[in-house]
Amino acid sequence: MIRVSYNPLNGRLAASQEKCGSYYVAESHRNSNFWSCSENNATNAWNVNFQNGTVNNNNNKYNSNVVWAVSAFTDYPVPQSFINSVWEAYHDCLRGKMRSAQAVEYMTKANVDIPVLANEMWEGTYKPGTSTCFLVKYPKLREVFAASFRDRIVHHWIALRLTPLFEKRFESQGNVSFNCRKGFGTDKAVTHVAEGMRSISNNYRRPAWVFRGDLEGFFMSINKDLLWCLLERFIKRKYNGEYKNLLLYLVREVVMHHPEKDCIINSPPEWWNELNPRKSLFTMETGLPIGNLTTQLFANFLMSHFISYVHWLFRGKNYCVAQFVDDFILVSDDLKFLKESIFKIENFLKDKLGLTMHKEKRYFQPVSHGVLFVGTYIKPGRLYLSNRTIRHMRKRFQDIDKLMKEGDMTPADCRYVECVMNSYLGFCRRRRTYRKRRKAIDKMGMGFWEKMYIVGPYEIVKLKKKYKLKL
């Protein structure tokens, strides 16, 4: 049975299937305003009843044809090109997530729900659904909101249209933003800062200074009204593709949504007692939910205005800037000007973007002393992994070893372990960490060596063939 139900939280249709006897029957869940259908007879397919009459379909249900009963959503049907764009977002959302529980569940009803979702988006009736809220303790206590898979499709629909425009903006600024961008990341950020320190100091033969700043409660401090104002102006000026008004509407819905008002708590409530109130949407009047794709994209876009100000402020100067989420680095050979600029930057962040620079997390030293940035100590001519990152790697490897000793690991679990370990090893590979990563791997028990093997000088972990997931 294909059951169409009414969700009182957001008024949208939700579809589910249930078998009734030897055939499928669809029925109305709420009232007669919804379509319903039943079997025409023992041999033929469907008798579809609408408010204005009955439609009989005598297609034999035992042949190779497939018949679906449908209802007209509006008097003006949704363009097929728009429905195709929602399908494109759906497949983009599935990439790398096809084995997740939410994706598997949604795939069973995608053929029914995607047209419904496209209709809601087209008519302007779409509202974000219920999110799942939980706390993660690694690498530090953090509040995360996971949107429903249905809402993630909308997020990807938005991202497919705005990401190219954001990329053009970042490229025009010299590609100094390194988070949540394809082809960038922590390794590129460290390389950029290391090269900037070497270049500005003329290979460390000339005095130069480095300043590292941090924003306090970054995601929770973002003002929704300000962000929407900046995004609206940006989209109106830069976006020339299809469905411009629809894009504006959806972006506003996502930005102004308050997931903390409609969520399922999936962590022990007492954990919130350990969380700083300034890092929770439940206690802040501002902020974006950590965990959504759009949050990362929009936060990076917001920081691009900070980068523009830095470029304007340091015009004509010999300098280097890098930004990774809420951390940023400034390198300059003009000590007096750099000191003056720190206060100007702090005022700009507060007055124009509503962000606060952390009072304690500030670092100001000559470049010869090095600097810690995104987990790496950048020293003249060499890179070291931070002690905190090494501790996290050892702790994670110990947890993996314990999991493997207990056994009962599925091929998907083994694949996950392989990805986690290679993520750490990949970060370590270009640092002076050979002995550290060798020591961490050598402590792994027989459960690990039965399923895995090492490639190169402790550089890559590979899963043995018999334990690989067969597709």
Side-chain angles (χ1 to χ4, degrees), residues 361-373:
K361 296 181 181 180
R362 302 187 183 197
Y363 180 88
F364 188 84
Q365 290 290 340
V367 294
S368 58
H369 290 196
V371 63
L372 174 64
F373 188 52

Side-chain angles (χ1 to χ4, degrees), residues 165-261:
L165 302 180
F166 290 162
E167 284 298 313
K168 288 182 180 179
R169 180 176 176 85
F170 299 144
E171 290 171 5
S172 68
Q173 295 177 336
N175 283 323
V176 296
S177 299
F178 293 92
N179 61 296
C180 302
R181 296 181 61 198
K182 188 175 181 179
F184 292 80
T186 54
D187 192 58
K188 286 286 185 69
V190 169
T191 302
H192 175 80
V193 173
E195 177 58 27
M197 292 168 61
R198 187 197 64 79
S199 175
I200 292 172
S201 63
N202 192 19
N203 205 17
Y204 298 97
R205 291 193 292 265
R206 187 173 63 205
W209 289 263
V210 59
F211 173 79
R212 186 193 72 221
D214 183 272
L215 301 181
E216 186 175 2
F218 175 53
F219 287 105
M220 302 303 160
S221 300
I222 295 176
N223 186 290
K224 291 177 180 287
D225 293 323
L226 173 62
L227 177 61
W228 162 240
C229 181
L230 295 174
L231 283 167
E232 182 184 29
R233 183 176 64 180
F234 178 79
I235 294 171
K236 287 182 177 179
R237 291 180 177 180
K238 300 296 183 180
Y239 184 75
N240 298 313
E242 293 182 306
Y243 319 120
K244 188 171 185 174
N245 291 333
L246 184 57
L247 177 62
L248 286 166
Y249 153 70
L250 291 173
V251 169
R252 190 180 190 282
E253 286 295 325
V254 171
V255 171
M256 304 305 291
H257 177 54
H258 288 269
E260 70 278 8
K261 296 181 180 179

Side-chain angles (χ1 to χ4, degrees), residues 147-398:
S148 66
F149 194 87
R150 196 175 195 266
D151 293 333
R152 294 179 213 172
I153 296 173
V154 179
H155 297 170
H156 279 258
W157 191 91
I158 293 171
L160 287 172
R161 281 144 188 81
L162 292 186
T163 298
L165 302 180
F166 290 162
E167 284 298 313
K168 288 182 180 179
R169 180 176 176 85
F170 299 144
E171 290 171 5
S172 68
Q173 295 177 336
N175 283 323
V176 296
S177 299
F178 293 92
N179 61 296
C180 302
R181 296 181 61 198
K182 188 175 181 179
F184 292 80
T186 54
D187 192 58
K188 286 286 185 69
V190 169
T191 302
H192 175 80
V193 173
E195 177 58 27
M197 292 168 61
R198 187 197 64 79
S199 175
I200 292 172
S201 63
N202 192 19
N203 205 17
Y204 298 97
R205 291 193 292 265
R206 187 173 63 205
W209 289 263
V210 59
F211 173 79
R212 186 193 72 221
D214 183 272
L215 301 181
E216 186 175 2
F218 175 53
F219 287 105
M220 302 303 160
S221 300
I222 295 176
N223 186 290
K224 291 177 180 287
D225 293 323
L226 173 62
L227 177 61
W228 162 240
C229 181
L230 295 174
L231 283 167
E232 182 184 29
R233 183 176 64 180
F234 178 79
I235 294 171
K236 287 182 177 179
R237 291 180 177 180
K238 300 296 183 180
Y239 184 75
N240 298 313
E242 293 182 306
Y243 319 120
K244 188 171 185 174
N245 291 333
L246 184 57
L247 177 62
L248 286 166
Y249 153 70
L250 291 173
V251 169
R252 190 180 190 282
E253 286 295 325
V254 171
V255 171
M256 304 305 291
H257 177 54
H258 288 269
E260 70 278 8
K261 296 181 180 179
D262 181 14
C263 66
I264 298 173
I265 304 297
N266 203 18
S267 289
E270 58 269 18
W271 285 13
W272 267 266
N273 296 330
E274 306 173 24
L275 185 66
N276 188 329
R278 289 185 56 83
K279 295 188 176 182
S280 174
L281 288 182
F282 293 104
T283 54
M284 294 289 291
E285 296 180 358
T286 59
L288 296 181
I290 298 175
N292 289 351
L293 171 64
T294 50
T295 295
Q296 300 289 343
L297 294 176
F298 295 162
N300 214 19
F301 166 74
L302 181 67
M303 288 300 291
S304 69
H305 293 79
F306 160 72
I307 296 298
S308 294
Y309 177 73
V310 171
H311 285 324
W312 176 83
L313 187 62
F314 280 79
R315 62 193 184 282
K317 298 291 183 179
N318 188 23
Y319 73 101
C320 170
V321 60
Q323 173 254 326
F324 195 95
V325 193
D326 56 349
D327 292 331
F328 64 91
I329 291 278
L330 287 170
V331 185
S332 176
D333 56 0
D334 190 332
L335 176 61
K336 181 180 178 182
F337 183 79
L338 182 58
K339 286 183 176 180
E340 294 173 351
S341 299
I342 293 171
F343 296 103
K344 294 179 180 178
I345 288 172
E346 187 173 13
N347 291 332
F348 172 82
L349 288 169
K350 184 177 181 180
D351 298 338
K352 301 298 183 180
L353 301 182
L355 303 173
T356 304
M357 195 186 301
H358 207 291
K359 297 292 184 181
E360 298 177 359
K361 296 181 181 180
R362 302 187 183 197
Y363 180 88
F364 188 84
Q365 290 290 340
V367 294
S368 58
H369 290 196
V371 63
L372 174 64
F373 188 52
V374 292
T376 299
Y377 280 104
I378 305 172
K379 296 282 188 177
R382 60 199 187 277
L383 303 174
Y384 296 103
L385 210 59
S386 69
N387 292 332
R388 189 178 77 167
T389 304
I390 293 172
R391 287 196 303 269
H392 289 160
M393 181 181 70
R394 289 174 178 170
K395 178 64 169 60
R396 202 68 184 272
F397 283 15
Q398 289 173 4

Side-chain angles (χ1 to χ4, degrees), residues 372-438:
L372 174 64
F373 188 52
V374 292
T376 299
Y377 280 104
I378 305 172
K379 296 282 188 177
R382 60 199 187 277
L383 303 174
Y384 296 103
L385 210 59
S386 69
N387 292 332
R388 189 178 77 167
T389 304
I390 293 172
R391 287 196 303 269
H392 289 160
M393 181 181 70
R394 289 174 178 170
K395 178 64 169 60
R396 202 68 184 272
F397 283 15
Q398 289 173 4
D399 293 341
I400 289 173
D401 185 39
K402 182 179 179 181
L403 181 65
M404 288 191 159
K405 285 179 180 177
E406 294 174 354
D408 296 331
M409 291 190 65
T410 65
D413 294 333
C414 294
R415 172 62 178 161
Y416 174 75
V417 167
E418 180 187 26
C419 292
V420 169
M421 296 188 70
N422 282 329
S423 176
Y424 277 102
L425 294 177
F427 191 67
C428 295
R429 201 175 304 152
R430 298 187 184 181
R431 316 303 188 248
R432 296 192 175 187
T433 58
Y434 171 75
R435 286 184 294 179
K436 291 181 174 61
R437 62 180 185 262
R438 176 177 178 175

